[in-house]
Amino acid sequence: MADHDHEPVPLAQQLRSRGLRLTTQRQRVLEAVGALEHGTPEQIGTWLAEQAGPDGAAPDTSTVYRNLELLERLGLVWHTHLGKGAPVYHAAQHPHLHVVCAVCGRIDSVDPAVMDGVAERLAADLGYSLDVGHVALSGTCRDCRAAGSES
Amino acid sequence: MADHDHEPVPLAQQLRSRGLRLTTQRQRVLEAVGALEHGTPEQIGTWLAEQAGPDGAAPDTSTVYRNLELLERLGLVWHTHLGKGAPVYHAAQHPHLHVVCAVCGRIDSVDPAVMDGVAERLAADLGYSLDVGHVALSGTCRDCRAAGSES
DNA sequence: CTCGTTGCAAAGGATTTGCACAAGT
DNA sequence: ACTTGTGCAAATCCTTTGCAACGAG
């Protein structure tokens, strides 16, 4: 279904250099994060189960969590909290900022550069080093605004 | 302990106009949100218990949750997700934006105006109406940056 | 008196943890 | 072989829900 070379394999490198092991589950989880642009741990687990087919075994939920955490420490994936109890993970390769519609839940990606001004200001005013990758903005999308004003 | 006039009583108004009732618990929860600048439902519950003293009864956890939700619908309080599983509530009267330190968890308040530029840009580019009140930015605070670079 | 509200306890969903076994190196 | 990683199940954490009793209007 998928070609196995999605990753330029920095994964193996990263792992070896830390005495960690390259397992099938690790590769699959990373693959899933890349495939689902914005996936919650649960969605990732589901995707893996689907990919595995009726017979193949998918990584256990706890393994998914453990590996997402690991991959994040390795800098290969990132997560953002978009709202209540639903962190979404995305590959670190395409940095982007999330904007979530508070009404329909739709997620849009935005160029992180829109936050440059804010980052500078926070650095100057508070000494904060802003982590743009973890920022989730919330608002109402065009469609929902239109729908809302109809009623 | 407290003067009972913290609120210009828009609460009673809001409630009556919707056929809802003004209860002691409701007033206390609103009071707690105002007192704790950034309180999680749990912290609010704790604060209420402390205020009540050893004998007085504090509102039940479920009541706290129910009323926070209600107060939010009434537009009297707002909540933000600062990270995993801990939404914080704050009075709608002092609009501010939260910046959380990813390392120490410290919360700083920032003038929402820093986001004006971003809001305009999102409106123009995506038709989004940005909800500045729900935005939580994440980064590393001055102290943690200093501590981090020491090691 | 009537219906919104509360308290309590149990149900739920999401994530984490302990442990023995399986698997990378 | 040695040690890390995995699966499974139990444990947590946070939040929600059902229901009988309570209290505001």
Side-chain angles (χ1 to χ4, degrees), chain B residues 56-123:
Chain B
D60 185 73
T61 307
S62 62
T63 300
V64 172
Y65 276 95
R66 286 192 275 231
N67 283 329
L68 283 173
E69 193 190 324
L70 171 66
L71 292 171
E72 185 154 38
R73 270 204 305 279
L74 297 181
L76 297 172
V77 306
W78 254 316
H79 81 275
T80 312
H81 291 280
L82 301 177
K84 49 170 27 182
V88 301
Y89 286 78
H90 59 95
Q93 288 126 34
H94 353 108
H96 58 273
L97 192 157
H98 301 94
V99 188
V100 197
C101 174
V103 181
C104 66
R106 146 185 189 168
I107 301 171
D108 280 289
S109 296
V110 182
D111 182 348
V114 300
M115 295 290 288
D116 285 354
V118 177
E120 280 169 30
R121 180 136 173 210
L122 289 181

Side-chain angles (χ1 to χ4, degrees), chain A residues 1 5 13 31 35 39 58-59 62 64 82 109 112 117 125-126 140 144 147 149:
Chain A
M1 184 121 287
D5 299 84
Q13 303 295 323
E31 197 181 321
S62 62
V64 172
L82 302 177
S109 297
D125 295 2
L126 297 174
T140 310
C144 289
S149 50

Side-chain angles (χ1 to χ4, degrees), chain A residues 56-70:
Chain A
D60 185 73
T61 308
S62 62
T63 300
V64 172
Y65 278 95
R66 287 191 274 232
N67 283 331
L68 284 172
E69 194 191 322
L70 171 65

Side-chain angles (χ1 to χ4, degrees), chain A residues 16 21-22 24 41-42 61-62 65-66 85 87:
Chain A
R16 300 234 169 103
R21 290 165 188 176
L22 179 61
T24 321
E42 189 182 27
T61 308
S62 62
Y65 278 95
R66 287 191 274 232

Side-chain angles (χ1 to χ4, degrees), chain B residues 18-87:
Chain B
R18 309 196 186 201
L20 301 176
R21 290 165 187 175
L22 179 61
T23 65
T24 321
Q25 291 89 332
R26 285 247 245 230
Q27 299 179 79
R28 292 236 193 95
V29 170
L30 180 53
E31 198 181 320
V33 172
L36 300 166
E37 305 256 306
H38 307 288
T40 62
E42 189 181 27
Q43 293 174 319
I44 290 169
T46 304
W47 186 89
L48 289 170
E50 290 170 353
Q51 294 295 309
D55 51 318
D60 185 73
T61 307
S62 62
T63 300
V64 172
Y65 276 95
R66 286 192 275 231
N67 283 329
L68 283 173
E69 193 190 324
L70 171 66
L71 292 171
E72 185 154 38
R73 270 204 305 279
L74 297 181
L76 297 172
V77 306
W78 254 316
H79 81 275
T80 312
H81 291 280
L82 301 177
K84 49 170 27 182

